[in-house]
Amino acid sequence: MFNLSRINRFWRLPVDNFWRQNPQKSSLPEVEDSISLRVLVLALVILGIVATDIAAETSFSLWALPLSLVGTIWSYYRRHDRNVAVKFCIAIGMLVALGAFFGRLVGELNDTRLGLAELLIQLQVLHSFDTPRRKNLGYSIVIGLILLGVAATLSQTLAFAPVLLLFLAIALPTLVLDYRSRLGLQPLKTQKEKFNQKNSSSLNFKFLILTFLLIVGLGLAIFAVLPRFPGYQLRTFPVSSAIQVKGSFTGRSIINPGYVRQGKGKNQGSGTGQNQTGQPGKVDNNFYYGFNSQMNQNLRGEMKPKVVMRVRSQAEGFWRVLGFDRYTGKGWEVSRNEDVTTVRRSPWSYQIFLSPSVLTGKKQEVVQTYTVVSDLPNLIPAMTYPKEIYFPTPIIAVDKEDGLRSPVELSQGLTYTVVSEVPYRDRTLLGKASTTYPQYIKKYYLQIPPEIAEKVRQRTEEILANYNREGVTKSSKSLDSPYEKALYLAQYLKQRYSIPQNPLELPYLSEKEDLVETFLFKQKGGYPDHFSTVLTVMLRSIGIPARLVAGFSAGEFNPFTGLYVVRNTDAYAMTEVYFPKYGWFAFDPIPNHPLIPPSIEDTQTFSVLRQLWHWVAGWLPSPVTGLLNNVFGTILSWVIRAIAWFLALFSQGWFGVLTGLVVGTTTAFLSWLGWEQWRKWRNRRWLKKLPAMESLYQQMLQWTTQKGLGKHPAQTPLEYARVSYQHHALATAEVIDEICQAYVGWRYGELTPNLQRLRERWQALKKAAK
């Protein structure tokens, strides 16, 4: 029989003992009393919230910072209490925050980073009212770190960098105090002491400062050598929250804030006002004049630079905006502006599928994400041949010139992503492209005003006929393909025509004057966009379909953010030429611009070697091919064994690790040394094979490149010589100028240079430089 009194005593003992020991309140284990640790943890959380606001341009700090401060103070004074009611309210608040987060996921179908940051901030504010123990403070440290990481992925400027450094500076003493608290040591006394002081109860600021500098220096070094892999391996891309569109959208109107018709409010113009009819006028200070259904090139002036976009892209490119097909004599217009196609997306996804290109040839998928910094027209920049777009509006439009149009103006803060299939530019294949053009291509892309057609054609054919005399060498073959003709004409305009030193003084065109005719025969130059117009019309005059395309250059790449910073002054126009089966390819005749705009590149480092081996093996007898395969197989097996031996060293203790590091460092150094010597030998051999004047000119370019002033590929020799006077001493610039003048005369004028004098001056210059 069990004794009921014993059972009662057994159940009553813990409760009785508990209340005897805690007559007033319950004690919580591991209560953290350090005020300095709590202040530093609060500082880390505040920095995480501020970093999110800076990166995402939000205003969480307005309510989160004061509430976090109040919660931290309240929690410190109530750290020894059970606070059951408060914990219950915190649990309810966290459930509400979680429900709101899942509700936002329905509206934000793609990018949830900002929603996650807001959820973490809400949870941290609630959590700050109950942080009695050290591990509770540890949770706050982790949330602050996560917020900083989210801010890093959202940041597009270097404004995030100071917050990151400040976070690191505060994190170091925080971790020291947290570690000492875990060990149960006495609180530290904060005082300035020498680096070698042995007092373990003091916080050594000098040690923390040196550690901070070491971590920052090491981090920057690792960042500098870290390989950059192409991004966007996942198929979830950044895009703004959904934008509702009111009314019907046809896609026919272009909303450019720079063109406002009379009687209309801001951003309501269609661009058909006086400044778009070819009459003289001034360009808008902020908006590019070419982003409209009509482009009036009889405008004068210049824009005030400002950042309009930031672009993250897997490849550098031309951010194409709008194409024009009809030349008006003083500009361009979109003749089929009313003929557009609207495309809708699914209500459950931001993804919009566009008509795929039916082109022959190799293509590469390139993902670009655009963030609008300053208001832009409702024209959507994208690389050529977009196949998917992730856009916040439920509908967009596509015009006949492959341009994308939005139902709303691209306002500040809007983010969208484009996936393009960019074709490779194979000069050999394009040179062999057919000259039989479809009827619709000839109908729209060979149009020229009849008043100038014959005169422009004669001038164009005269330039092409003189190719042998003006070309690279006397033995050059005649230009027999549209690609080579377009390439040569673009280079000809770059070298023979110029932009005025003061473009603002360029005279307006009269009512009877034609832009192309005036450019070619009277002014011998014009505005940058005029070069592209002239090239387009010249190609049309000899039966090569071409059109004008306006957009933005890649902009300035920021290596710290990985973004291209695009300004309004980066907008310009260039020429696109049509090649049957291969599509449209751009040519840039503007001086100081690359002749071919940046795009994807196909290096194919080892494919050429592989193709060569297959070709050789096809001619060799089978026994010889088998022997060579065995030899190559043996060499490959040796290489694999060497790699396996090297990796095995790191599993043989400290001695093996040290041996592996020594072997790896020695191998890397010898490889680098051999590579440098091979490059120098190959360069010397290449220079010896060149003609004497060409060799001297190339030596001069290599020397100036080492001095910090390399020649841009778009610069002509004479342009480079003029620039050298601004960066070199007068004596040095004169020698560079003389060599460039002699080189141009020898290359293009068949003049015999005085090589002995040039070599003497060149050797004297190098000796003086030493």
Side-chain angles (χ1 to χ4, degrees), residues 103-113 235-244 343-354 380 387-396 414-419:
R104 284 193 300 271
L105 289 183
V106 178
E108 299 175 2
L109 303 178
N110 263 48
D111 194 0
T112 59
R113 292 174 296 175
R235 303 301 297 188
T236 300
F237 304 123
V239 61
S240 298
S241 300
I243 299 176
Q244 299 301 325
V343 185
R344 289 187 174 272
R345 63 170 172 85
S346 166
W348 308 108
S349 173
Y350 284 131
Q351 187 178 31
I352 301 176
F353 292 98
L354 305 174
I380 305 174
K387 67 172 186 177
E388 300 173 31
I389 179 172
Y390 295 75
F391 204 75
T393 61
I395 185 173
I396 65 169
L414 185 141
T415 299
Y416 66 94
T417 300
V418 179
V419 182

Side-chain angles (χ1 to χ4, degrees), residues 114-127:
L114 193 56
L116 175 61
E118 185 174 1
L119 173 64
L120 287 175
I121 292 173
Q122 293 169 349
L123 296 181
Q124 169 55 34
V125 170
L126 294 170
H127 174 67

Side-chain angles (χ1 to χ4, degrees), residues 506-707:
L506 193 69
Y508 287 103
L509 299 173
S510 65
E511 186 176 350
K512 295 183 179 180
E513 283 185 308
D514 183 274
L515 171 62
V516 175
E517 184 181 17
T518 303
F519 182 100
L520 287 174
F521 304 104
K522 296 180 182 179
Q523 295 177 351
K524 298 294 183 179
Y527 271 5
D529 286 353
H530 295 175
F531 285 79
S532 302
T533 292
V534 172
L535 175 62
T536 306
V537 175
M538 291 177 73
L539 291 171
R540 289 184 173 189
S541 70
I542 57 175
I544 300 176
R547 66 184 178 187
L548 195 79
V549 59
F552 294 97
S553 66
E556 181 182 359
F557 182 73
N558 188 327
F560 292 98
T561 62
L563 300 173
Y564 294 93
V565 180
V566 184
R567 294 172 172 81
N568 57 346
T569 50
D570 291 325
Y572 69 98
M574 62 181 177
T575 302
E576 282 187 344
V577 181
Y578 180 76
F579 299 93
K581 295 184 180 181
Y582 300 105
W584 296 90
F585 286 86
F587 297 82
D588 192 342
I590 301 175
N592 295 323
H593 281 206
L595 183 61
I596 296 173
S599 186
I600 56 174
E601 295 180 359
D602 187 7
T603 55
Q604 294 184 343
T605 306
F606 300 104
S607 64
V608 176
L609 181 62
R610 184 168 54 252
Q611 292 175 3
L612 177 62
W613 164 245
H614 289 322
W615 180 80
V616 172
W619 289 91
L620 295 176
S622 298
V624 177
T625 302
L627 176 63
L628 293 178
N629 284 330
N630 291 333
V631 172
F632 292 147
T634 303
I635 295 175
L636 182 61
S637 65
W638 288 348
V639 172
I640 295 176
R641 289 178 182 176
I643 295 175
W645 171 81
F646 176 74
L647 295 178
L649 290 175
F650 293 90
S651 61
Q652 298 177 7
W654 288 107
F655 180 79
V657 172
L658 181 62
T659 304
L661 293 176
V662 171
V663 172
T665 304
T666 305
T667 304
F669 174 75
L670 293 178
S671 300
W672 171 81
L673 187 63
W675 170 258
E676 289 296 319
Q677 295 300 320
W678 180 78
R679 285 181 58 191
K680 292 180 181 178
W681 172 81
R682 188 180 63 172
N683 184 60
R684 290 194 298 268
R685 185 180 179 186
W686 173 68
L687 291 173
K688 289 181 180 179
K689 291 182 179 181
L690 295 176
M693 186 65 241
E694 176 76 15
S695 177
L696 181 61
Y697 174 73
Q698 293 296 336
Q699 291 179 56
M700 183 270 293
L701 292 182
Q702 293 176 5
W703 182 81
T704 54
T705 300
Q706 294 175 357
K707 298 299 181 182

Side-chain angles (χ1 to χ4, degrees), residues 336-381:
R336 296 172 287 174
N337 189 58
E338 303 295 319
D339 190 3
V340 298
T341 304
T342 56
V343 185
R344 289 187 174 272
R345 63 170 172 85
S346 166
W348 308 108
S349 173
Y350 284 131
Q351 187 178 31
I352 301 176
F353 292 98
L354 305 174
S355 299
S357 59
V358 288
L359 303 177
T360 303
K362 188 177 180 181
K363 294 171 286 188
Q364 177 177 317
E365 183 179 275
V366 179
V367 182
Q368 322 115 60
T369 294
Y370 300 81
T371 299
V372 179
V373 178
S374 180
D375 291 349
L376 290 172
N378 66 321
L379 303 172
I380 305 174

Side-chain angles (χ1 to χ4, degrees), residues 286-306:
N286 297 312
F287 299 94
Y288 179 62
Y289 73 102
F291 295 155
N292 218 326
S293 57
Q294 295 180 341
M295 175 190 281
N296 177 14
Q297 294 188 298
N298 201 18
L299 304 179
R300 302 294 182 262
E302 58 184 1
M303 293 184 291
K304 296 179 181 179
K306 67 175 182 179

